[in-house]
């Protein structure tokens, strides 16, 4: 029998996520120390680090045997998902945090033996918390999210994508992506992958493709979307690993195979 205490951990994590969000809101207009990581547009600030440290210290104190997989270096070296692993992005959408001062999120997930048990995506400035426990549905604040639509056609769907399809090293057939963009009803780019998953769970968009997300960008969002009947896989159709930067597709089950088979060709 599993010893994973889903409800107790969920309540504790929720408190921390809300507290961390309040710290960010209080400091939103302060001057930022901005650094870059993988490339000149991959941003990190003192706040990303401060918030990750906040989570790491609390988790290590309260759950000393759990491990942390996180973006800014305060976590552990995690190469597998055995036991309890917290997967955290302290600020998802740092470019939005710096430039827009909105539409960024805290993404926190708890996996137990590879299963996504608890997911939080917190839209900090709007004070909207998307949350889910495996098997108990997904919520937007107090409101339970409905299962996604019974049927969906690609031509009537909204696709989310970012520019990584043309800027990343993961080479993808851009003619096919162009065709996909022409086929769907419209496209959106919000700039926070975790929030983009939350919007999928909310049913206001229908698919999301991205070619180099990190585990912390998607670990919580995938749990939310699963709870309402959504599907997320690697762009080659295989299950996600939650350990690598796998190109991925997340969509309504009616359209995911069509997107993968007809419009995504990895080179
Ligand atoms: P971040 O803000 O935590 O870095 C933007 O479309 C999404 O991709 C965000 O979730 C953002 O997360 C992530 N992102 C931004 N720059 C990136 C890069 N250079 N490589 C991979 N992911 C990136
Ligand atoms: Ca981040």
């Amino acid at each position: 029998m599993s010893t994973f205490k889903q409800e107790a951990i969920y309540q504790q994590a929720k408190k921390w996520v809300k507290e961390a969000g309040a710290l960010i809101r209080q400091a939103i207009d302060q001057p930022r120390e901005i650094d870059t990581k993988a490339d000149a547009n991959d941003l990190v600030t003192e706040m990303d680090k401060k918030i990750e440290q906040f989570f790491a210290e609390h988790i290590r104190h309260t759950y000393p045997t759990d491990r942390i997989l996180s973006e800014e270096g305060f976590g552990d070296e995690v190469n597998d998902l055995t036991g309890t692993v917290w997967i955290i992005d302290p600020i998802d959408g740092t470019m939005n945090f710096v430039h827009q001062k909105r539409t960024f999120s805290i993404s926190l997930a708890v996996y137990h033996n590879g299963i996504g048990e608890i997911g939080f995506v917190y839209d900090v400035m709007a004070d909207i918390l998307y949350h889910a426990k495996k098997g108990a549905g997904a919520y937007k604040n107090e409101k339970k999210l409905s299962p996604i639509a019974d049927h969906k056609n690609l031509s009537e769907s909204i696709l989310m994508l970012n520019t990584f399809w043309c800027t990343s090293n993961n080479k993808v057939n851009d003619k096919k992506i162009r065709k996909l963009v022409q086929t769907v009803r419209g496209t959106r780019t919000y700039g926070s992958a975790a929030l983009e998953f939350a919007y999928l769970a909310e049913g206001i968009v229908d698919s999301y493709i991205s070619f180099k997300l990190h585990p912390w960008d998607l670990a919580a969002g995938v749990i939310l979307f699963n709870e309402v009947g959504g599907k997320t896989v690697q762009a080659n159709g295989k299950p996600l690993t939650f350990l690598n930067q796998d190109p991925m597709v997340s969509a309504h089950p009616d359209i995911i195979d069509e997107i993968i088979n007809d419009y995504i060709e990895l080179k």
Side-chain angles (χ1 to χ4, degrees), residues 3-52:
T3 55
F4 184 75
K5 296 189 172 64
Q6 190 196 54
E7 182 60 27
I9 297 172
Y10 164 83
Q11 292 298 344
Q12 179 61 84
K14 185 177 185 180
K15 202 166 153 271
W16 290 336
V17 168
K18 287 278 203 167
E19 277 175 36
L23 291 174
I24 299 173
R25 273 195 304 275
Q26 279 159 23
I28 193 72
D29 290 321
Q30 284 173 10
R32 295 269 91 85
E33 287 165 33
I34 303 164
D35 242 318
T36 58
K37 295 189 287 187
D39 57 62
N41 301 322
D42 187 7
L43 309 181
V44 60
T45 74
E46 85 295 343
M47 186 62 80
D48 299 67
K49 294 172 193 166
K50 180 179 161 179
I51 297 299
E52 186 169 306

Side-chain angles (χ1 to χ4, degrees), residues 124-181:
V124 171
M125 299 315 289
D127 191 19
I128 295 172
L129 182 64
Y130 295 90
H131 52 108
K133 283 175 281 189
K134 185 178 187 303
Y139 288 77
K140 177 185 181 183
N141 286 336
E142 309 309 319
K143 185 177 155 238
K144 188 165 188 178
L145 297 174
S146 307
I148 48 177
D150 284 350
H151 301 292
K152 186 59 67 178
N153 295 320
L154 197 59
S155 61
E156 294 169 348
S157 70
I158 300 182
L159 164 76
M160 290 180 293
L161 77 177
N162 53 39
T163 52
F164 295 158
W165 64 272
C166 64
T167 58
S168 79
N169 297 328
N170 289 304
K171 292 209 178 65
V172 62
N173 184 335
D174 52 354
K175 286 199 185 69
K176 287 199 167 182
I177 300 288
R178 201 183 152 93
K179 189 92 189 117
L180 176 60
V181 169

Side-chain angles (χ1 to χ4, degrees), residues 39 42 71 89 91-94 162 164 191 193 212 214 217 245:
D39 57 62
D42 187 7
E71 180 158 24
D89 192 344
I91 298 184
D92 183 56
T94 301
N162 53 39
F164 295 158
K212 56 176 204 172
H214 293 277
D217 296 321
Q245 276 185 283

Side-chain angles (χ1 to χ4, degrees), residues 69-70 81 85-89 107-111 215-216 219 242:
L69 172 58
S70 56
L81 292 181
V85 180
W86 296 64
I87 307 182
I88 302 171
D89 192 344
S107 175
L108 184 149
V110 186
Y111 279 64
W216 43 79
F242 299 102

